[in-house]
Amino acid sequence: MDFDLTPSEREFQAEARAWLKANVPREEESDGEGLAAGIERRRAWQRKLYDAGYLGLAWPKEYGGRSATLIEQMIFNNEAILARAPDPVNVIGLGMGGPVVIAHGTEEQKARYLKPLLTADEIWCQGFSEPNAGSDLSALQTRAEDRGDHYLVNGQKVWTSLAHVAKWCMLVTRERKEANPREGLTYLLVDMESPGVEVRPLHQITGDPEFNEVFFHDVKVPKSQIIGQPGHGWEVAITTLMHERGTLGLALATRAQITSGELLEHARRLGRSRERLVRQRLAQHWIEAKTIQLNGYRAITATMRTGVPGPEGSFLKLAWSELNQRMAETAVDLMGPMGQVENGGGWQYAFLRSRGNTIEAGTSEILRNILAERVLGLPRSR
Ligand SMILES: Cc1cc2nc3c(=O)[nH]c(=O)nc-3n(C[C@H](O)[C@H](O)[C@H](O)COP(=O)(O)OP(=O)(O)OC[C@H]3O[C@@H](n4cnc5c(N)ncnc54)[C@H](O)[C@@H]3O)c2cc1C
């Protein structure tokens, strides 16, 4: 296996590294800012990335991308993480919305939605989960009633990240009741400014209201906003989830390396890096982070061959989320009783936020089921 970059990839890496060095906002600029200011700071950062040609790198040129390879996309992601760059604000749009519109949208939809998504003029959110449909997405009940030239949408979604700032929601709705619950679903793009959309923030264990409940009361959605075919929303939803875990997985592979390095520094600073049990824990985290990185390379190779992210994304997300929780736990343990009362350079926040990692984008149990079926070839669980 050859992990070396080609000369042109090395050139691209150097160019990206230099650009990031000159442009990444300093961390202290974000100290103590509220959530709204954080959104605006990340929106401005996304615009800067777009203007420099570093967004949607692997998207086709005609849709605002750069037709770059996935390796170049990975190089840029790695460099951005190493440079401690903030995430662009439109993470859901970039990681899922754009790829879904490119795969299933009409030419009019591509022309309408992709550019403002890239420039962060329009933020996207993902309306999949409901109070009684999370892991079992096909149990969803939000109704889309056919009214000729539009649908009338009624129902409720929950845990909808970014809904409070989003312009568009990727909404999976039930148009018809069928014996197979995966049939009869319609995938709509809903304008969050439409009359009848109500967003109520939910606070996480960290105290931040990152996600929301979203209620739909007789919301009119023009039929021009169906993605894919009416009644065939399941296929579009699966494309969304494959991109969610694939895109996320690759970035996470690099993030795990960084966190494991930061943890070493944390142990040194606290004067605990000579303790045998601490060293063993740190070394184990580093080994696992490295394994995730190597599997990230494997995921890229597979995606370049097939054109779509495969089950490797589920492995990366599963392995990272569980490792990230263990690393955050080690960091807080190292601080002793102070770990419960002091943020300790952000570790306490990281510990609390990491609890959601094994739930969002598919719980660990669901990802293990996927790997059991799709990688190990075991029979379906249901
Ligand atoms: C931080 C965060 C952000 C999120 N953002 C979004 C978002 O933007 N949009 C969105 O639509 N959703 C979002 N979610 C919701 C997330 O997708 C769901 O929470 C997740 O799919 C689990 O669904 P649930 O909460 O209904 O739990 P349930 O599905 O009710 O699961 C409860 C427990 O049962 C287990 N379980 C369920 N089925 C099985 C099975 N077949 N085999 C074994 N175990 C099983 C689960 O693993 C879990 O431990 C977010 C969640 C979090 C934590």
Side-chain angles (χ1 to χ4, degrees):
M1 206 179 265
D2 180 6
F3 291 128
D4 283 341
L5 300 179
T6 63
S8 76
E9 285 164 355
R10 271 203 296 275
E11 199 177 305
F12 173 76
Q13 184 183 41
E15 173 204 306
R17 190 172 291 174
W19 186 86
L20 285 161
K21 190 163 181 247
N23 290 284
V24 167
R26 291 190 315 278
E27 264 175 33
E28 57 269 30
E29 286 174 23
S30 60
D31 282 352
E33 71 185 1
L35 270 188
I39 293 281
E40 286 317 308
R41 183 176 50 87
R42 286 170 55 201
R43 197 195 290 269
W45 171 239
Q46 180 169 336
R47 284 214 185 101
K48 212 167 187 181
L49 286 167
Y50 175 77
D51 290 340
Y54 286 122
L55 271 193
L57 275 168
W59 294 13
K61 274 199 182 113
E62 64 266 36
Y63 304 136
R66 195 153 146 171
S67 298
T69 63
L70 278 179
I71 303 270
E72 285 166 325
Q73 176 73 69
M74 182 194 76
I75 292 171
F76 187 78
N77 290 350
N78 284 354
E79 291 300 322
I81 293 171
L82 290 169
R84 302 274 197 283
D87 286 328
V89 69
N90 211 0
V91 271
I92 294 176
L94 291 165
M96 297 177 246
V100 161
V101 170
I102 290 172
H104 296 280
T106 60
E107 284 311 312
E108 290 76 34
Q109 288 171 336
K110 290 173 192 169
R112 164 64 188 84
Y113 298 116
L114 294 175
K115 179 147 183 239
L117 182 161
L118 284 170
T119 56
D121 284 317
E122 293 178 348
I123 295 177
W124 286 44
C125 67
Q126 177 191 17
F128 280 35
S129 306
E130 296 184 2
N132 291 310
S135 302
D136 183 9
L137 179 62
S138 67
L140 66 90
Q141 290 169 15
T142 294
R143 297 268 304 148
E145 206 183 308
D146 190 337
R147 291 287 182 95
D149 64 343
H150 67 274
Y151 285 103
L152 207 58
V153 173
N154 279 287
Q156 185 201 340
K157 296 286 171 178
V158 70
W159 319 126
T160 320
S161 307
L162 292 173
H164 52 298
V165 285
K167 165 75 176 164
W168 296 108
C169 180
M170 296 174 268
L171 193 77
V172 193
T173 60
R174 183 164 301 287
E175 182 173 349
R176 291 189 308 272
K177 278 213 165 95
E178 300 278 353
N180 178 350
R182 294 177 180 184
E183 289 169 12
L185 301 177
T186 297
Y187 195 110
L188 298 172
L189 260 190
V190 177
D191 185 342
M192 294 294 281
E193 289 163 18
S194 312
V197 176
E198 185 192 346
V199 177
R200 294 187 202 157
L202 288 168
H203 288 256
Q204 287 171 257
I205 192 174
T206 53
D208 283 344
E210 268 181 68
F211 49 28
N212 307 269
E213 291 179 292
V214 185
F215 297 85
F216 299 88
H217 313 281
D218 285 339
V219 176
K220 270 185 172 181
V221 183
K223 285 199 169 161
S224 57
Q225 285 163 217
I226 304 174
I227 305 282
Q229 296 304 313
H232 291 271
W234 185 254
E235 289 88 317
V236 190
I238 292 299
T239 306
T240 318
L241 295 177
M242 296 306 270
H243 279 280
E244 178 172 32
R245 289 161 200 161
T247 319
L248 193 78
L250 282 178
L252 299 179
T254 309
R255 227 172 260 286
Q257 298 269 296
I258 303 252
T259 310
S260 128
E262 286 173 348
L263 194 50
L264 291 182
E265 278 311 307
H266 180 61
R268 281 199 187 101
R269 253 198 319 273
L270 294 170
R272 304 208 47 188
S273 55
R274 284 180 190 277
E275 292 172 37
R276 281 187 206 162
L277 291 179
V278 170
R279 292 157 71 90
Q280 287 188 18
R281 240 166 123 171
L282 297 177
Q284 183 61 31
H285 294 329
W286 182 85
I287 292 166
E288 289 177 36
K290 195 76 196 163
T291 312
I292 295 175
Q293 187 190 35
L294 295 175
N295 272 289
Y297 294 155
R298 184 156 58 180
I300 286 212
T301 314
T303 310
M304 283 172 78
R305 271 197 211 115
T306 60
V308 277
E312 295 83 4
S314 295
F315 171 79
L316 294 174
K317 194 291 181 164
L318 170 66
W320 169 80
S321 56
E322 296 195 345
L323 172 62
N324 198 46
Q325 281 179 357
R326 285 194 296 274
M327 290 198 287
E329 213 167 296
T330 300
V332 172
D333 278 355
L334 287 176
M335 290 157 69
M338 283 306 278
Q340 294 184 27
V341 289
E342 226 182 45
N343 198 6
W347 284 110
Q348 193 188 59
Y349 183 93
F351 171 78
L352 294 174
R353 180 60 184 83
S354 72
R355 307 317 298 169
N357 295 154
T358 48
I359 304 173
E360 60 197 325
T363 68
S364 287
E365 289 77 16
I366 293 303
L367 298 180
R368 284 197 171 85
N369 276 342
I370 292 174
L371 293 170
E373 285 165 24
R374 296 199 45 205
V375 178
L376 304 181
L378 298 179
R380 285 182 62 85
S381 57
R382 287 177 296 137

